[in-house]
Amino acid sequence: MKTIKLVTLAAMVSLTVGVTFTAQSASVPDEKIATLRETPLNVEPTPPAMQKVRNTDIKEVRNYPMQPPVIPHKIDGYQIDLKVNKCMSCHARKRTGDSQAPMVSVTHYMDRENNFLAELSPRRYFCTQCHVPQLDAKLLVENDFVDMDHLINADTNTNNKH
């Protein structure tokens, strides 16, 4: 049994080495490599201008159920690390009266077993893993997303016409 495993392993290693040498010897010429850079690989292109963050403080409508709310203001320089979470200086339950910011959801105070905690859950502590500020930028990809409410209303209107 041990011999069969060794022979199989040796065959796999020799195939891998053979494929590697074949791939290296049949490399693709530089001019055939397409990149997203839209410039040759040996030229450093000028980066596009940074887009401005929308800083309206106006709550945006969510596009789908359970979508994390977007951040309607700048967060440049906000410290969010193991010691400090700047977001909670406005969004913590005790601070919302002064700041007028919405309080974070109670789900942020629950552990994986749905037990309520006195402090933010470690899995919900780093806000920007789900919540992001929005940019004043043109769409990179066309979007024909239709909100669920519009679909329901369109279906209702179609059924009422018949």
Side-chain angles (χ1 to χ4, degrees):
M1 187 68 166
K2 234 179 184 182
T3 308
I4 293 173
K5 286 183 181 178
L6 287 173
V7 170
T8 304
L9 181 62
M12 290 175 62
V13 168
S14 65
L15 282 174
T16 303
V17 170
V19 168
T20 302
F21 286 130
T22 305
Q24 288 175 351
S25 63
S27 65
V28 178
D30 288 341
E31 65 271 2
K32 297 286 186 185
I33 297 176
T35 69
L36 296 176
R37 295 166 47 101
E38 298 178 358
T39 58
L41 292 174
N42 61 349
V43 174
E44 188 65 38
T46 303
M50 294 288 290
Q51 303 296 325
K52 292 184 179 179
V53 174
R54 284 192 214 153
N55 198 28
T56 61
D57 277 342
I58 297 172
K59 186 176 181 180
E60 294 194 30
V61 177
R62 299 184 200 190
N63 292 311
Y64 55 89
M66 304 305 289
Q67 175 190 355
V70 296
I71 302 171
H73 57 80
K74 290 183 179 183
I75 59 169
D76 299 346
Y78 275 36
Q79 183 177 351
I80 304 173
D81 57 30
L82 291 175
K83 297 180 189 265
V84 177
N85 182 327
K86 172 70 172 160
C87 301
M88 296 309 289
S89 64
C90 294
H91 293 278
R93 182 180 59 82
K94 293 178 182 177
R95 301 285 304 142
T96 58
D98 296 332
S99 68
Q100 295 300 299
M103 183 181 84
V104 296
S105 167
V106 295
T107 59
H108 290 60
Y109 292 92
M110 296 167 68
D111 65 11
R112 289 186 175 148
E113 287 78 37
N114 293 329
N115 298 313
F116 284 96
L117 308 171
E119 297 293 325
L120 276 179
S121 170
R123 65 190 186 124
R124 299 289 182 102
Y125 183 83
F126 295 98
C127 307
T128 53
Q129 70 186 8
C130 297
H131 305 280
V132 295
Q134 299 298 288
L135 301 177
D136 276 331
K138 67 175 183 145
L139 291 177
L140 296 176
V141 177
E142 290 299 318
N143 183 355
D144 58 359
F145 175 80
V146 179
D147 185 277
M148 182 60 75
D149 292 332
H150 289 95
L151 290 174
I152 292 170
N153 288 338
D155 186 47
T156 304
N157 291 338
T158 303
N159 289 337
N160 288 340
K161 291 180 182 178
H162 296 295

